[in-house]
Amino acid sequence: MTVLTETHLMTGTNRRLPPVAYVKAVDVFLGFCYLLVILALIEYACVAYSKKKNEDRRRREKKTEHKPAPPTPDILHDVRLAECTCNAAPTSIIAVIKQSNRFCVSHSHIDIVSRAAFPLVFILFNTLFWLILLYKSKRLPYISEHEGDRCDAPDLH
């Protein structure tokens, strides 16, 4: 529904304005808003997909929990010594334990990052957009492109 609303805003605004060959400020603003809406939909899809995969993994782990344990190995028969690692660089046991085989992003991590990132990006864009727009239209107070335009104080000597 939001994508439909953004599309309606963009087409309605362009219909009311005179046609020009360049990109207008309203096109940039509404285009960025449209982009954020699309990115929010993609974020929603990523969270839903990640949550589904996480639930499927938990179901598989739960099923394998109920299987009978494999028979205990015969220690004398199954012991295999690894090759000598005397000259290898020392490795911390904590680093080995914490090392993960794959990169895992939880759906809650995506959601938490998005809660902060989307508003911050919009605030940053909005601030920059209006500063640039006001600067280009020469409507920012105390900032002028020409230094000679300022009134000089009279010399009181």
Side-chain angles (χ1 to χ4, degrees), residues 74-91:
D74 181 12
I75 294 179
L76 293 176
H77 187 269
D78 289 344
V79 172
R80 293 181 182 88
L81 296 175
E83 56 184 284
C84 181
T85 57
C86 301
N87 296 331
T91 306

Side-chain angles (χ1 to χ4, degrees), residues 15 21 23 25 30 36 41-42 50 58 60 62 67 80 87 91 110-112 117 125 130 136 138-139 142 146 155 157:
R15 195 173 337 136
V23 177
L30 289 176
L36 282 181
L41 287 172
I42 291 170
S50 176
R58 284 188 183 161
R60 274 185 304 206
K62 197 173 183 179
K67 290 184 179 178
R80 293 181 182 88
N87 296 331
T91 306
I110 298 170
D111 204 27
I112 290 169
F125 168 76
W130 288 107
K136 290 289 187 182
K138 297 178 181 143
R139 292 186 181 182
Y142 309 114
H146 306 289
D155 193 15
H157 287 88

Side-chain angles (χ1 to χ4, degrees), residues 12-156:
T13 304
N14 283 329
R15 195 173 337 136
R16 289 184 200 102
L17 294 174
V20 291
Y22 51 87
V23 177
K24 299 179 286 292
V26 71
D27 294 332
V28 173
F29 188 81
L30 289 176
F32 188 78
C33 292
Y34 193 85
L35 175 69
L36 282 181
V37 169
I38 296 297
L39 290 175
L41 287 172
I42 291 170
E43 181 262 339
Y44 173 76
C46 289
V47 167
Y49 178 74
S50 176
K51 186 175 181 181
K52 174 82 168 105
K53 283 192 66 117
N54 193 16
E55 288 172 356
D56 289 347
R57 183 183 50 82
R58 284 188 183 161
R59 267 193 233 115
R60 274 185 304 206
E61 287 174 359
K62 197 173 183 179
K63 284 181 184 179
T64 58
E65 261 180 23
H66 297 298
K67 290 184 179 178
T72 56
D74 181 12
I75 294 179
L76 293 176
H77 187 269
D78 289 344
V79 172
R80 293 181 182 88
L81 296 175
E83 56 184 284
C84 181
T85 57
C86 301
N87 296 331
T91 306
S92 169
I93 189 70
I94 296 171
V96 173
I97 290 172
K98 287 186 177 181
Q99 185 178 12
S100 177
N101 291 340
R102 60 188 175 119
F103 182 70
C104 180
V105 177
S106 171
H107 58 277
S108 60
H109 291 120
I110 298 170
D111 204 27
I112 290 169
V113 168
S114 296
R115 284 183 212 170
F118 277 103
L120 287 176
V121 166
F122 185 72
I123 289 169
L124 180 69
F125 168 76
N126 220 354
T127 304
L128 288 174
F129 175 81
W130 288 107
L131 283 174
I132 291 170
L133 186 69
L134 291 173
Y135 178 76
K136 290 289 187 182
S137 65
K138 297 178 181 143
R139 292 186 181 182
L140 274 179
Y142 309 114
I143 297 177
S144 174
E145 287 183 10
H146 306 289
E147 290 296 324
D149 292 346
R150 293 185 183 169
C151 295
D152 294 329
D155 193 15
L156 301 175

